[in-house]
Amino acid sequence: MNFLKKNGPGLLFCLMIAVPSWFLGKAVPVIGGPVFSILIGMVLTLLIRQKDTVQPGITYTSKKILQAAVVFLGFGMNLTEILAKGRQSLPIIICTISTSLIIAFILYKALKLDPNNAILVGVGSSICGGSAIAATAPVIRATDEEVAQSISVIFLFNVLAALIFPTLGGLLHMSNEGFGLFAGTAINDTSSVTAAAAAWDGIHASHTLEAAAIVKMTRTLAIIPITLALAIYGERKEKKTEGSSFSLKKTFPYFVLFFILAAVVTTVFHLPVSVTAPLKELSKFLIIMAMAAIGLNTYIVTLVKTGAKPIFTGFCCWVGITGVSLLMQHFMGIW
């Protein structure tokens, strides 16, 4: 009862934002529910003077509900099927992820970018957009404003990719197989991958959507090593600064362990689509709900004033990933 009394109003408030955002995301998938949710939250926080009653629930949603969303994401991953069908794309995925992280690190040093912004934009660009940011943010202890800014950057280049890539693929005379790999490796968010692949299928009367989605799911598995590596690095750095010993037990992001367990359960027990599909949808809805909380904790004026460097970093990561994906396909003879 104390939990509901403390967090209930804020949870309900975030839920009220998440429901219309969910439907808006369904109506305009190239933008997606999380972006609508953040925007509504940021507008409302400008209008609401006192948030004392709802603030505890908003904080709980932006932290705990976000982690729960990542766990439920694991139920949508049959590891055997993903690795069997996505095996061909692994070299390209490894190269694009490495490229994005290297570019983000270089620009972090060159532009004196906030380290959390650099990590979130680099990881979000290279793995799976909002889901990767949702998994990484608790590990690096990112603020809600840093998360909102990173999601906004990823959204911008998601939309551009969904609009440009089908035409670009046609100009480059890509095969259907090649475009499926291109969309799956060079576009970071599932909704935009789907939008681009569906547009290609409509133009070329092909069936690349399923292939692109499988490649995208294969990329999503990179959440596991990336979050673990960041957790260990962050803890080692903190312990070195404080002069104390390193503790893996304290470092380990346990919600990522539950994400892995969910994927293992799906794989071992061959959970049917009738079970996994609702859990995947629940994961998406919880992310939208968490983004509402993040929007409510973010002031849009500050976001605009500090946005130039993250946007430039996102642009460079996007261009780098696109170029490497095309080059790798060319060298592998897939194009």
Side-chain angles (χ1 to χ4, degrees):
M1 290 300 292
N2 286 335
F3 172 82
L4 286 177
K5 186 176 180 180
K6 178 182 177 183
N7 297 306
L11 285 166
L12 183 60
F13 192 28
C14 293
L15 182 64
M16 290 171 64
I17 297 172
V19 171
S21 299
W22 168 269
F23 288 109
L24 286 168
K26 291 289 186 182
V28 193
V30 73
I31 295 177
V35 175
F36 282 116
S37 196
I38 281 181
L39 291 174
I40 293 171
M42 286 193 293
V43 170
L44 287 176
T45 208
L46 292 174
L47 302 175
I48 300 171
R49 295 183 179 275
Q50 292 292 331
K51 292 192 295 184
D52 294 348
T53 305
V54 295
Q55 191 57 54
I58 291 172
T59 302
Y60 183 88
T61 303
S62 71
K63 306 301 180 188
K64 300 300 182 183
I65 297 296
L66 189 60
Q67 293 180 22
V70 175
V71 174
F72 282 110
L73 182 67
F75 286 106
M77 306 202 140
N78 186 307
L79 302 177
T80 303
E81 290 181 8
I82 290 171
L83 293 177
K85 295 179 181 178
R87 185 169 47 193
Q88 182 187 33
S89 64
L90 280 175
I92 302 174
I93 290 170
I94 291 169
C95 289
T96 53
I97 290 175
S98 301
T99 297
S100 180
L101 295 179
I102 290 168
I103 289 172
F105 179 75
I106 291 171
L107 292 178
Y108 153 66
K109 291 288 189 180
L111 302 177
K112 295 182 172 59
L113 188 65
D114 180 88
N116 282 353
N117 271 331
I119 292 169
L120 292 175
V121 171
V123 169
S125 298
S126 61
I127 301 176
C128 54
S131 299
I133 291 171
T136 306
V139 175
I140 63 173
R141 297 169 188 154
T143 65
D144 287 345
E145 286 193 348
E146 289 166 342
V147 173
Q149 195 158 57
S150 303
I151 290 282
S152 301
V153 169
I154 297 304
F155 153 71
L156 173 62
F157 297 108
N158 268 341
V159 173
L160 288 175
L163 295 174
I164 293 171
F165 279 16
T167 302
L168 177 62
L171 292 173
L172 295 173
H173 305 291
M174 298 186 78
S175 65
N176 293 330
E177 180 188 10
F179 186 80
L181 275 170
F182 179 46
T185 54
I187 304 175
N188 52 55
D189 191 78
T190 304
S191 60
S192 295
V193 171
T194 301
W200 177 271
D201 287 345
I203 295 168
H204 299 276
S206 58
H207 301 282
T208 64
L209 181 55
E210 183 181 357
I214 290 169
V215 173
K216 177 66 180 59
M217 293 295 281
T218 308
R219 279 172 70 194
T220 303
L221 292 176
I223 285 176
I224 299 167
I226 291 291
T227 51
L228 294 180
L230 286 170
I232 293 170
Y233 172 76
E235 188 70 14
R236 282 187 182 279
K237 187 176 180 181
E238 189 174 311
K239 293 298 182 183
K240 188 176 181 180
T241 304
E242 295 175 355
S244 54
S245 59
F246 171 74
S247 172
L248 181 61
K249 185 177 179 180
K250 291 182 180 179
T251 301
F252 196 85
Y254 286 98
F255 72 94
V256 176
L257 173 62
F258 293 128
F259 165 82
I260 297 169
L261 287 175
V264 170
V265 167
T266 300
T267 305
V268 172
F269 294 100
H270 304 287
L271 296 183
V273 175
S274 59
V275 174
T276 59
L279 293 174
K280 283 170 63 178
E281 291 301 304
L282 176 60
S283 170
K284 293 175 184 177
F285 183 80
L286 292 179
I287 286 178
I288 291 171
M289 190 172 168
M291 292 305 126
I294 286 167
L296 289 166
N297 281 337
T298 302
Y299 290 91
I300 196 167
V301 175
T302 305
L303 207 63
V304 171
K305 285 181 178 179
T306 59
K309 290 180 181 179
I311 289 173
F312 181 70
T313 302
F315 172 75
C316 292
C317 289
W318 181 57
V319 171
I321 289 169
T322 301
V324 168
S325 178
L326 292 172
L327 282 173
M328 285 294 293
Q329 284 197 58
H330 181 70
F331 288 133
M332 293 170 68
I334 299 170
W335 191 335

